[in-house]
């Protein structure tokens, strides 16, 4: 019998702060599902995090915490390669090469660059500008063909494809051309305070974001304050972004369909609805939070995981890097 072709999957998140419910529903939830049938590689992308100022002590802690969180969410190091980006030097090396095949014009069109340079006007560094090139290197090193991300990252997947195609057109078939992969309900979880903006871990408003490590009372409080509208109708409509977002959240954490949620809350107010969303989120996060805590007690085990992960990742990444070095004309 012919074996079904396994996809090569790559994704990562930055250890810049605690992850949010948006990160989980938009990205990590998909990763866990995908690892069962595919060849998956997941990274804590610490080099990307350096594009905004980080406190070294905190960054070190967050890298380990994010690794533990991945595992608490269900990423299994026996099924997937799990590693820290800076442990595999090929990422920086390929990023340099790809920088020479990427145009200033295309980088300056990136929405994330425009947003972040506004937010950090005092530190518009070159790394922030070439961030998508490092991301392209992450993906292309492993010949990944499917990249599970939230909607906000699709533009970076597009530029990765453009860079890969440009390189292949000159040197032959070196890179696999990757595609983005979006989840159905959680692809864009919005801010609780301004539901037309995405839920972001770097939001200044503490009530806008649910963090995966939030205590139950914080979750209840934030959802109680979530911005909705004055219509008091639980309906999934574009002109009700706050309500739509809460329905999306409830549906994503319980698996209940949108119509069923609308029907159950017909004639009931937002108070009931928000309380149920809060309860569902609390119950959903509890097992993961407990597992994360337990993992963080065993640093030696976590260290073993990231060391072994780096070794596996390095072997694969070096294969592509050597091929690239040869193609561009470096002496090996
Ligand atoms: P910031 O919020 O500070 O801009 P970020 O959360 O986008 O950072 P990462 O931690 O690298 O940055 O994101 C990890 C993954 O989570 C990415 O695939 C991203 O698309 C996804 N993601 C982030 N926010 C949301 C959201 N609100 N809804 C759905 N997916 C999201
Ligand atoms: N840019 C992404 C994080 C990221 C990533 C990647 C995602 C870095 N490298 C490779 C998928 C594949 C972000 O900010 N969310």
């Amino acid at each position: 019998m012919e074996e079904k072709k396994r996809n090569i999957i790559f994704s990562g998140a930055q250890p810049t702060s605690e992850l949010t419910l948006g990160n989980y529903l938009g990205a990590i939830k998909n990763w866990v599902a995908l690892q069962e049938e595919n060849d998956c590689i997941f990274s804590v992308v610490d080099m990307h995090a350096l594009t905004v100022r980080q406190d070294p002590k905190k960054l070190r802690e967050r890298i380990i915490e994010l690794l533990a969180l991945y595992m608490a969410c269900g990423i299994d190091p026996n099924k997937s390669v799990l590693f820290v980006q800076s442990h595999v030097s090929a990422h920086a090396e390929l990023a340099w090469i790809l920088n020479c095949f990427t145009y200033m014009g295309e980088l300056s069109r990136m929405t994330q660059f425009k947003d972040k340079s506004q937010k950090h006007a005092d530190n518009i560094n070159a790394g922030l500008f070439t961030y998508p090139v490092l991301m392209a290197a992450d993906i292309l090193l492993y010949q990944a063909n499917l990249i599970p991300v939230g909607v906000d990252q699709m533009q970076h997947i597009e530029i990765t494809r453009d860079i890969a195609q440009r390189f292949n057109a000159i040197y032959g078939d070196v890179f696999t051309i990757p595609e983005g992969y979006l989840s159905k309900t959680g692809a864009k979880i919005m801010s609780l305070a301004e539901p037309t903006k995405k839920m972001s871990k770097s939001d200044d408003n503490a009530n806008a974001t649910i963090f995966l490590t939030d205590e139950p009372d914080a979750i209840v409080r934030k959802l109680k304050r979530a911005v909705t509208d004055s219509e008091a109708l639980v309906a999934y409509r574009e002109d009700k972004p706050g309500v739509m977002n809460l329905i999306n959240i409830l549906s994503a954490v319980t698996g209940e369909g949108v119509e069923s949620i609308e029907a159950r809350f017909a004639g009931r107010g937002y108070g009931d609805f928000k309380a149920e969303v809060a309860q569902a989120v609390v119950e959903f996060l509890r097992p993961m939070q407990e597992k994360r805590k337990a993992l963080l007690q065993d640093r030696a085990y976590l260290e073993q995981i990231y060391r072994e992960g780096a070794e596996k990742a390095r072997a694969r990444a070096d294969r592509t890097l050597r091929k690239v070095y040869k193609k561009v004309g470096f002496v090996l």
Side-chain angles (χ1 to χ4, degrees), residues 22-55:
N23 294 135
Y24 180 76
L25 297 175
I28 300 181
K29 192 174 164 205
N30 271 333
W31 303 359
V32 176
L34 286 164
Q35 77 178 343
E36 298 307 324
E37 308 237 323
N38 299 285
D39 177 8
C40 292
I41 303 154
F42 300 115
S43 182
V44 174
V45 291
D46 53 349
M47 289 159 72
H48 278 98
L50 223 56
T51 54
V52 300
R53 286 282 170 267
Q54 303 291 338
D55 173 63

mmCIF file of all heavy atoms in Angstrom, residues 22-55:
data_model
loop_
_atom_site.group_PDB
_atom_site.id
_atom_site.type_symbol
_atom_site.label_atom_id
_atom_site.label_comp_id
_atom_site.label_asym_id
_atom_site.label_seq_id
_atom_site.Cartn_x
_atom_site.Cartn_y
_atom_site.Cartn_z
ATOM 1 N N GLY A 22 -5.212 34.014 22.223
ATOM 2 C CA GLY A 22 -5.124 34.175 20.766
ATOM 3 C C GLY A 22 -4.005 33.332 20.181
ATOM 4 O O GLY A 22 -4.196 32.626 19.188
ATOM 5 N N ASN A 23 -2.844 33.357 20.825
ATOM 6 C CA ASN A 23 -1.721 32.533 20.357
ATOM 7 C C ASN A 23 -2.109 31.059 20.380
ATOM 8 O O ASN A 23 -1.779 30.299 19.478
ATOM 9 C CB ASN A 23 -0.495 32.673 21.273
ATOM 10 C CG ASN A 23 0.122 34.057 21.253
ATOM 11 O OD1 ASN A 23 0.445 34.616 22.300
ATOM 12 N ND2 ASN A 23 0.278 34.624 20.080
ATOM 13 N N TYR A 24 -2.779 30.679 21.446
ATOM 14 C CA TYR A 24 -3.125 29.267 21.574
ATOM 15 C C TYR A 24 -4.134 28.841 20.511
ATOM 16 O O TYR A 24 -3.922 27.881 19.779
ATOM 17 C CB TYR A 24 -3.667 28.942 22.982
ATOM 18 C CG TYR A 24 -3.998 27.477 23.069
ATOM 19 C CD1 TYR A 24 -2.986 26.538 23.196
ATOM 20 C CD2 TYR A 24 -5.304 27.028 22.914
ATOM 21 C CE1 TYR A 24 -3.254 25.184 23.196
ATOM 22 C CE2 TYR A 24 -5.588 25.671 22.915
ATOM 23 C CZ TYR A 24 -4.553 24.758 23.050
ATOM 24 O OH TYR A 24 -4.831 23.415 23.023
ATOM 25 N N LEU A 25 -5.242 29.598 20.422
ATOM 26 C CA LEU A 25 -6.305 29.184 19.506
ATOM 27 C C LEU A 25 -5.903 29.387 18.050
ATOM 28 O O LEU A 25 -6.319 28.636 17.169
ATOM 29 C CB LEU A 25 -7.603 29.929 19.814
ATOM 30 C CG LEU A 25 -8.179 29.645 21.215
ATOM 31 C CD1 LEU A 25 -9.404 30.510 21.475
ATOM 32 C CD2 LEU A 25 -8.519 28.170 21.388
ATOM 33 N N GLY A 26 -5.083 30.426 17.805
ATOM 34 C CA GLY A 26 -4.684 30.724 16.430
ATOM 35 C C GLY A 26 -3.562 29.826 15.940
ATOM 36 O O GLY A 26 -3.443 29.569 14.744
ATOM 37 N N ALA A 27 -2.728 29.348 16.855
ATOM 38 C CA ALA A 27 -1.542 28.642 16.389
ATOM 39 C C ALA A 27 -1.320 27.302 17.082
ATOM 40 O O ALA A 27 -1.417 26.243 16.468
ATOM 41 C CB ALA A 27 -0.317 29.549 16.561
ATOM 42 N N ILE A 28 -1.060 27.330 18.380
ATOM 43 C CA ILE A 28 -0.570 26.123 19.058
ATOM 44 C C ILE A 28 -1.574 24.957 19.023
ATOM 45 O O ILE A 28 -1.195 23.805 18.896
ATOM 46 C CB ILE A 28 -0.151 26.448 20.499
ATOM 47 C CG1 ILE A 28 0.964 27.498 20.442
ATOM 48 C CG2 ILE A 28 0.338 25.210 21.231
ATOM 49 C CD1 ILE A 28 1.520 27.913 21.757
ATOM 50 N N LYS A 29 -2.848 25.291 19.094
ATOM 51 C CA LYS A 29 -3.878 24.241 19.041
ATOM 52 C C LYS A 29 -3.745 23.421 17.747
ATOM 53 O O LYS A 29 -3.857 22.199 17.758
ATOM 54 C CB LYS A 29 -5.247 24.915 19.104
ATOM 55 C CG LYS A 29 -6.380 23.975 19.349
ATOM 56 C CD LYS A 29 -7.669 24.754 19.530
ATOM 57 C CE LYS A 29 -8.849 23.837 19.377
ATOM 58 N NZ LYS A 29 -10.046 24.573 18.950
ATOM 59 N N ASN A 30 -3.488 24.123 16.674
ATOM 60 C CA ASN A 30 -3.276 23.448 15.392
ATOM 61 C C ASN A 30 -2.022 22.594 15.394
ATOM 62 O O ASN A 30 -1.989 21.529 14.796
ATOM 63 C CB ASN A 30 -3.065 24.487 14.287
ATOM 64 C CG ASN A 30 -4.358 24.908 13.679
ATOM 65 O OD1 ASN A 30 -5.310 24.154 13.678
ATOM 66 N ND2 ASN A 30 -4.400 26.119 13.165
ATOM 67 N N TRP A 31 -0.990 23.111 16.026
ATOM 68 C CA TRP A 31 0.283 22.372 16.029
ATOM 69 C C TRP A 31 0.068 21.000 16.645
ATOM 70 O O TRP A 31 0.552 19.997 16.136
ATOM 71 C CB TRP A 31 1.359 23.096 16.848
ATOM 72 C CG TRP A 31 1.677 24.493 16.460
ATOM 73 C CD1 TRP A 31 1.142 25.228 15.445
ATOM 74 C CD2 TRP A 31 2.622 25.339 17.111
ATOM 75 N NE1 TRP A 31 1.694 26.478 15.431
ATOM 76 C CE2 TRP A 31 2.604 26.572 16.442
ATOM 77 C CE3 TRP A 31 3.486 25.179 18.197
ATOM 78 C CZ2 TRP A 31 3.411 27.644 16.823
ATOM 79 C CZ3 TRP A 31 4.292 26.239 18.579
ATOM 80 C CH2 TRP A 31 4.256 27.454 17.892
ATOM 81 N N VAL A 32 -0.642 21.008 17.778
ATOM 82 C CA VAL A 32 -0.838 19.757 18.512
ATOM 83 C C VAL A 32 -1.597 18.751 17.640
ATOM 84 O O VAL A 32 -1.240 17.571 17.568
ATOM 85 C CB VAL A 32 -1.600 20.016 19.830
ATOM 86 C CG1 VAL A 32 -1.884 18.716 20.553
ATOM 87 C CG2 VAL A 32 -0.793 20.962 20.721
ATOM 88 N N ALA A 33 -2.617 19.229 16.947
ATOM 89 C CA ALA A 33 -3.401 18.332 16.097
ATOM 90 C C ALA A 33 -2.549 17.809 14.936
ATOM 91 O O ALA A 33 -2.640 16.638 14.567
ATOM 92 C CB ALA A 33 -4.625 19.061 15.569
ATOM 93 N N LEU A 34 -1.718 18.680 14.394
ATOM 94 C CA LEU A 34 -0.947 18.304 13.202
ATOM 95 C C LEU A 34 0.152 17.288 13.487
ATOM 96 O O LEU A 34 0.553 16.528 12.614
ATOM 97 C CB LEU A 34 -0.319 19.562 12.577
ATOM 98 C CG LEU A 34 -1.295 20.475 11.827
ATOM 99 C CD1 LEU A 34 -0.678 21.851 11.594
ATOM 100 C CD2 LEU A 34 -1.695 19.852 10.492
ATOM 101 N N GLN A 35 0.656 17.285 14.739
ATOM 102 C CA GLN A 35 1.822 16.431 15.013
ATOM 103 C C GLN A 35 1.509 14.932 14.917
ATOM 104 O O GLN A 35 2.407 14.125 14.756
ATOM 105 C CB GLN A 35 2.455 16.782 16.356
ATOM 106 C CG GLN A 35 1.702 16.252 17.539
ATOM 107 C CD GLN A 35 2.367 16.564 18.883
ATOM 108 O OE1 GLN A 35 3.530 16.908 18.947
ATOM 109 N NE2 GLN A 35 1.608 16.435 19.939
ATOM 110 N N GLU A 36 0.216 14.583 14.984
ATOM 111 C CA GLU A 36 -0.126 13.162 14.945
ATOM 112 C C GLU A 36 0.213 12.522 13.597
ATOM 113 O O GLU A 36 0.616 11.383 13.544
ATOM 114 C CB GLU A 36 -1.621 12.968 15.239
ATOM 115 C CG GLU A 36 -2.043 13.437 16.631
ATOM 116 C CD GLU A 36 -1.197 12.822 17.753
ATOM 117 O OE1 GLU A 36 -0.809 11.650 17.615
ATOM 118 O OE2 GLU A 36 -0.916 13.530 18.744
ATOM 119 N N GLU A 37 0.004 13.269 12.521
ATOM 120 C CA GLU A 37 0.135 12.644 11.198
ATOM 121 C C GLU A 37 1.243 13.238 10.346
ATOM 122 O O GLU A 37 1.368 12.918 9.177
ATOM 123 C CB GLU A 37 -1.181 12.827 10.426
ATOM 124 C CG GLU A 37 -2.382 12.377 11.197
ATOM 125 C CD GLU A 37 -3.157 11.326 10.456
ATOM 126 O OE1 GLU A 37 -3.235 11.447 9.229
ATOM 127 O OE2 GLU A 37 -3.661 10.392 11.100
ATOM 128 N N ASN A 38 2.009 14.177 10.929
ATOM 129 C CA ASN A 38 2.975 14.870 10.090
ATOM 130 C C ASN A 38 4.343 14.940 10.751
ATOM 131 O O ASN A 38 4.494 14.616 11.919
ATOM 132 C CB ASN A 38 2.476 16.289 9.802
ATOM 133 C CG ASN A 38 1.152 16.280 9.073
ATOM 134 O OD1 ASN A 38 1.102 15.996 7.880
ATOM 135 N ND2 ASN A 38 0.071 16.542 9.785
ATOM 136 N N ASP A 39 5.294 15.412 9.961
ATOM 137 C CA ASP A 39 6.648 15.578 10.454
ATOM 138 C C ASP A 39 6.747 17.032 10.933
ATOM 139 O O ASP A 39 6.829 17.945 10.119
ATOM 140 C CB ASP A 39 7.567 15.293 9.247
ATOM 141 C CG ASP A 39 9.018 15.483 9.558
ATOM 142 O OD1 ASP A 39 9.365 15.688 10.735
ATOM 143 O OD2 ASP A 39 9.829 15.430 8.607
ATOM 144 N N CYS A 40 6.703 17.238 12.253
ATOM 145 C CA CYS A 40 6.565 18.607 12.776
ATOM 146 C C CYS A 40 7.810 19.100 13.497
ATOM 147 O O CYS A 40 8.458 18.352 14.232
ATOM 148 C CB CYS A 40 5.409 18.675 13.770
ATOM 149 S SG CYS A 40 3.817 18.451 13.016
ATOM 150 N N ILE A 41 8.081 20.386 13.303
ATOM 151 C CA ILE A 41 9.212 21.033 13.955
ATOM 152 C C ILE A 41 8.695 22.331 14.566
ATOM 153 O O ILE A 41 8.136 23.176 13.859
ATOM 154 C CB ILE A 41 10.307 21.354 12.908
ATOM 155 C CG1 ILE A 41 10.719 20.052 12.192
ATOM 156 C CG2 ILE A 41 11.516 22.020 13.557
ATOM 157 C CD1 ILE A 41 11.269 20.270 10.827
ATOM 158 N N PHE A 42 8.840 22.462 15.881
ATOM 159 C CA PHE A 42 8.356 23.663 16.559
ATOM 160 C C PHE A 42 9.491 24.322 17.326
ATOM 161 O O PHE A 42 10.265 23.649 18.006
ATOM 162 C CB PHE A 42 7.199 23.321 17.506
ATOM 163 C CG PHE A 42 6.030 22.710 16.792
ATOM 164 C CD1 PHE A 42 5.647 21.402 17.034
ATOM 165 C CD2 PHE A 42 5.326 23.447 15.841
ATOM 166 C CE1 PHE A 42 4.577 20.832 16.365
ATOM 167 C CE2 PHE A 42 4.252 22.889 15.154
ATOM 168 C CZ PHE A 42 3.882 21.576 15.422
ATOM 169 N N SER A 43 9.539 25.648 17.217
ATOM 170 C CA SER A 43 10.680 26.353 17.782
ATOM 171 C C SER A 43 10.247 27.494 18.697
ATOM 172 O O SER A 43 9.227 28.140 18.466
ATOM 173 C CB SER A 43 11.518 26.916 16.613
ATOM 174 O OG SER A 43 12.655 27.557 17.099
ATOM 175 N N VAL A 44 11.060 27.732 19.721
ATOM 176 C CA VAL A 44 10.921 28.952 20.528
ATOM 177 C C VAL A 44 11.832 29.963 19.837
ATOM 178 O O VAL A 44 13.063 29.822 19.875
ATOM 179 C CB VAL A 44 11.396 28.710 21.980
ATOM 180 C CG1 VAL A 44 11.400 30.004 22.767
ATOM 181 C CG2 VAL A 44 10.531 27.650 22.654
ATOM 182 N N VAL A 45 11.229 30.935 19.132
ATOM 183 C CA VAL A 45 12.053 31.792 18.266
ATOM 184 C C VAL A 45 12.599 32.989 19.055
ATOM 185 O O VAL A 45 12.142 34.116 18.940
ATOM 186 C CB VAL A 45 11.325 32.194 16.959
ATOM 187 C CG1 VAL A 45 11.156 30.983 16.056
ATOM 188 C CG2 VAL A 45 9.970 32.820 17.209
ATOM 189 N N ASP A 46 13.648 32.701 19.827
ATOM 190 C CA ASP A 46 14.239 33.726 20.690
ATOM 191 C C ASP A 46 14.980 34.807 19.899
ATOM 192 O O ASP A 46 15.046 35.959 20.327
ATOM 193 C CB ASP A 46 15.147 33.081 21.747
ATOM 194 C CG ASP A 46 16.206 32.144 21.164
ATOM 195 O OD1 ASP A 46 16.127 31.807 19.959
ATOM 196 O OD2 ASP A 46 17.116 31.752 21.922
ATOM 197 N N MET A 47 15.532 34.438 18.726
ATOM 198 C CA MET A 47 16.245 35.462 17.943
ATOM 199 C C MET A 47 15.275 36.532 17.430
ATOM 200 O O MET A 47 15.615 37.709 17.364
ATOM 201 C CB MET A 47 16.990 34.801 16.781
ATOM 202 C CG MET A 47 18.186 33.998 17.269
ATOM 203 S SD MET A 47 18.702 32.773 16.089
ATOM 204 C CE MET A 47 19.425 33.821 14.839
ATOM 205 N N HIS A 48 14.070 36.110 17.097
ATOM 206 C CA HIS A 48 13.061 37.093 16.680
ATOM 207 C C HIS A 48 12.708 38.051 17.819
ATOM 208 O O HIS A 48 12.427 39.229 17.598
ATOM 209 C CB HIS A 48 11.789 36.385 16.198
ATOM 210 C CG HIS A 48 11.866 35.918 14.787
ATOM 211 N ND1 HIS A 48 12.180 34.624 14.438
ATOM 212 C CD2 HIS A 48 11.666 36.572 13.627
ATOM 213 C CE1 HIS A 48 12.180 34.512 13.119
ATOM 214 N NE2 HIS A 48 11.864 35.684 12.603
ATOM 215 N N ALA A 49 12.716 37.519 19.040
ATOM 216 C CA ALA A 49 12.307 38.338 20.188
ATOM 217 C C ALA A 49 13.249 39.516 20.412
ATOM 218 O O ALA A 49 12.867 40.544 20.980
ATOM 219 C CB ALA A 49 12.250 37.475 21.443
ATOM 220 N N LEU A 50 14.492 39.372 19.944
ATOM 221 C CA LEU A 50 15.492 40.420 20.168
ATOM 222 C C LEU A 50 15.242 41.678 19.330
ATOM 223 O O LEU A 50 15.906 42.694 19.536
ATOM 224 C CB LEU A 50 16.874 39.845 19.848
ATOM 225 C CG LEU A 50 18.004 40.184 20.807
ATOM 226 C CD1 LEU A 50 17.691 39.777 22.228
ATOM 227 C CD2 LEU A 50 19.284 39.517 20.344
ATOM 228 N N THR A 51 14.294 41.619 18.419
ATOM 229 C CA THR A 51 14.015 42.805 17.595
ATOM 230 C C THR A 51 13.364 43.915 18.411
ATOM 231 O O THR A 51 13.312 45.059 17.968
ATOM 232 C CB THR A 51 13.103 42.455 16.397
ATOM 233 O OG1 THR A 51 11.932 41.799 16.893
ATOM 234 C CG2 THR A 51 13.816 41.545 15.412
ATOM 235 N N VAL A 52 12.820 43.575 19.582
ATOM 236 C CA VAL A 52 12.462 44.629 20.542
ATOM 237 C C VAL A 52 13.276 44.373 21.809
ATOM 238 O O VAL A 52 13.671 43.243 22.080
ATOM 239 C CB VAL A 52 10.940 44.702 20.852
ATOM 240 C CG1 VAL A 52 10.136 44.972 19.594
ATOM 241 C CG2 VAL A 52 10.443 43.425 21.497
ATOM 242 N N ARG A 53 13.560 45.422 22.568
ATOM 243 C CA ARG A 53 14.444 45.283 23.723
ATOM 244 C C ARG A 53 13.925 44.273 24.722
ATOM 245 O O ARG A 53 12.735 44.297 25.060
ATOM 246 C CB ARG A 53 14.610 46.622 24.446
ATOM 247 C CG ARG A 53 15.470 47.594 23.720
ATOM 248 C CD ARG A 53 16.963 47.296 23.874
ATOM 249 N NE ARG A 53 17.684 48.157 22.941
ATOM 250 C CZ ARG A 53 18.023 47.776 21.705
ATOM 251 N NH1 ARG A 53 17.769 46.558 21.276
ATOM 252 N NH2 ARG A 53 18.642 48.618 20.904
ATOM 253 N N GLN A 54 14.826 43.395 25.184
ATOM 254 C CA GLN A 54 14.454 42.384 26.179
ATOM 255 C C GLN A 54 15.413 42.474 27.352
ATOM 256 O O GLN A 54 16.604 42.718 27.167
ATOM 257 C CB GLN A 54 14.562 40.971 25.576
ATOM 258 C CG GLN A 54 13.750 40.727 24.327
ATOM 259 C CD GLN A 54 12.255 40.715 24.564
ATOM 260 O OE1 GLN A 54 11.779 40.490 25.675
ATOM 261 N NE2 GLN A 54 11.493 40.997 23.518
ATOM 262 N N ASP A 55 14.893 42.224 28.527
ATOM 263 C CA ASP A 55 15.733 42.108 29.694
ATOM 264 C C ASP A 55 16.331 40.691 29.681
ATOM 265 O O ASP A 55 15.586 39.713 29.634
ATOM 266 C CB ASP A 55 14.865 42.324 30.943
ATOM 267 C CG ASP A 55 15.639 42.059 32.207
ATOM 268 O OD1 ASP A 55 16.607 42.780 32.442
ATOM 269 O OD2 ASP A 55 15.292 41.108 32.936
#
